[in-house]
Amino acid sequence: MLDPVLIANAVASGLLLGCLYAIAAMGLAVSFGMLDVVNIAHPAMMVLAGFVIAALCAATGIDPLLAALLLAPVFGLLGAGLYRLYYLFFERRGDEAMQGLAFFFGLMIVIEVSLVLVYGADQRWVDTGYGGRSIGIGPIGLPLRMLFPALMSLAVIAALFVWLRRSFTGRAVAAVAQDRDALRFLAIDPIRIKTLAFGLSVALAAVAGGCLIVVQPIDAHSGHVYLGRVMAVVIMAGLGSLPGTLAAALAFGVIENVTATLFGPAWSPAVAFGLLLAVLALRPQGIFGGSHS
């Protein structure tokens, strides 16, 4: 007989894990789903941010979540410059399909090798004052090392939703994914909008890196663990659907955690990716059908 308390705790932990997947996937949902830029280096950028945040926390003693918010604009500027290079050498020439994908694959390898050369192969971890504490809601325990990153993830995602829906620039970002020529009639440069949006996606990677370094130790190759997961979440959601990305990430986290609790960790990836195949078989356009909002 299944223990209902055990299942309830597994679901609660899975929702917190899903929030981490959501913030990790949200930047890829912007670049891949909305801009059609398959940035497979996105998880590596997230890990890079985690390493930088760990070094910043060791030097200053600030909280890693706060450090992530401070680092996000810097990563946003780096992302904007990166998109300009991508546009100049690939997108403008119509080579963004395979050669552009190879560009981001090469960038991923460069990031990983650079981290190994600078920091070595050892794991990095930030010891926070709340890392070993938890709060209880009835029989359910919520570890603060997962709860605080989850709350920040949801706050950042909510701010992103509001910005995309309420601001003129946010609506332009959503529109560029659907009809860039219409933006030209409004005297809006679609390349400028895409540069801004891609910078935003990389800034979200920095926020995800801060959440990740609080939740678990990372090494230079940790991005490999998240690459398949964030791609699966974005595809399962429906390309460009940010609400779908959040829903898919939460579902992914719950299914992984409940499966690991009941059957062991080795089964959780198989069941979670089996869910992806089932969704694509029954609803190929994803949960939210590619709605760009």
Side-chain angles (χ1 to χ4, degrees):
M1 182 176 179
L2 297 178
D3 185 350
V5 174
L6 179 66
I7 298 299
N9 276 278
V11 170
S13 297
L15 288 173
L16 297 181
L17 178 64
C19 290
L20 175 63
Y21 288 162
I23 193 63
M26 203 60 63
L28 188 62
V30 172
S31 64
F32 183 21
M34 301 181 73
L35 306 181
D36 200 26
V37 179
V38 189
N39 179 15
I40 61 173
H42 186 85
M45 294 176 179
M46 179 176 75
V47 172
L48 172 62
F51 270 77
V52 174
I53 289 167
L56 189 60
C57 293
T60 64
I62 66 173
D63 185 84
L65 299 179
L66 175 59
L69 294 177
L70 296 175
L71 189 65
V74 177
F75 267 63
L77 291 175
L78 292 174
L82 181 63
Y83 176 77
R84 286 292 183 173
L85 290 175
Y86 171 79
Y87 172 75
L88 179 64
F89 291 109
F90 302 104
E91 193 173 74
R92 188 180 64 170
R93 302 176 179 179
D95 294 332
E96 66 270 25
M98 288 305 298
Q99 294 186 30
L101 184 62
F103 169 75
F104 285 109
F105 179 78
L107 178 62
M108 179 180 70
I109 299 301
V110 168
I111 291 174
E112 291 177 357
V113 171
S114 299
L115 288 176
V116 171
L117 291 176
V118 174
Y119 294 102
D122 295 336
Q123 290 185 325
R124 287 295 184 274
W125 169 260
V126 176
D127 186 15
T128 60
Y130 48 82
R133 298 164 57 190
S134 63
I135 61 172
I137 302 177
I140 298 175
L142 301 176
L144 296 185
R145 68 177 178 82
M146 295 189 69
L147 179 61
F148 287 170
L151 292 176
M152 190 177 85
S153 298
L154 293 176
V156 171
I157 291 170
L160 176 64
F161 286 178
V162 171
W163 180 75
L164 286 172
R165 289 179 178 272
R166 300 291 178 85
S167 71
F168 176 80
T169 306
R171 290 195 294 269
V173 168
V176 77
Q178 302 175 51
D179 189 354
R180 69 162 62 183
D181 292 330
L183 291 180
R184 297 188 189 277
F185 288 119
L186 298 175
I188 300 174
D189 181 5
I191 303 306
R192 180 175 175 272
I193 294 298
K194 292 185 75 171
T195 300
L196 173 65
F198 192 84
L200 175 63
S201 76
V202 177
L204 290 170
V207 176
C211 295
L212 178 62
I213 197 71
V214 173
V215 170
Q216 66 180 61
I218 59 173
D219 59 37
H221 304 291
S222 292
H224 293 181
V225 176
Y226 288 90
L227 178 58
R229 285 168 170 80
V230 297
M231 289 290 290
V233 165
V234 171
I235 294 170
M236 186 164 62
L239 294 181
S241 173
L242 300 189
T245 299
L246 176 59
L250 294 175
F252 212 87
V254 169
I255 290 172
E256 266 203 357
N257 214 51
V258 170
T259 302
T261 300
L262 296 180
F263 305 107
W267 281 95
S268 58
V271 173
F273 284 99
L275 172 66
L276 169 64
L277 296 178
V279 168
L280 292 179
L282 298 174
R283 190 175 173 82
Q285 70 272 35
I287 294 174
F288 277 54
S291 171
H292 295 275
S293 59

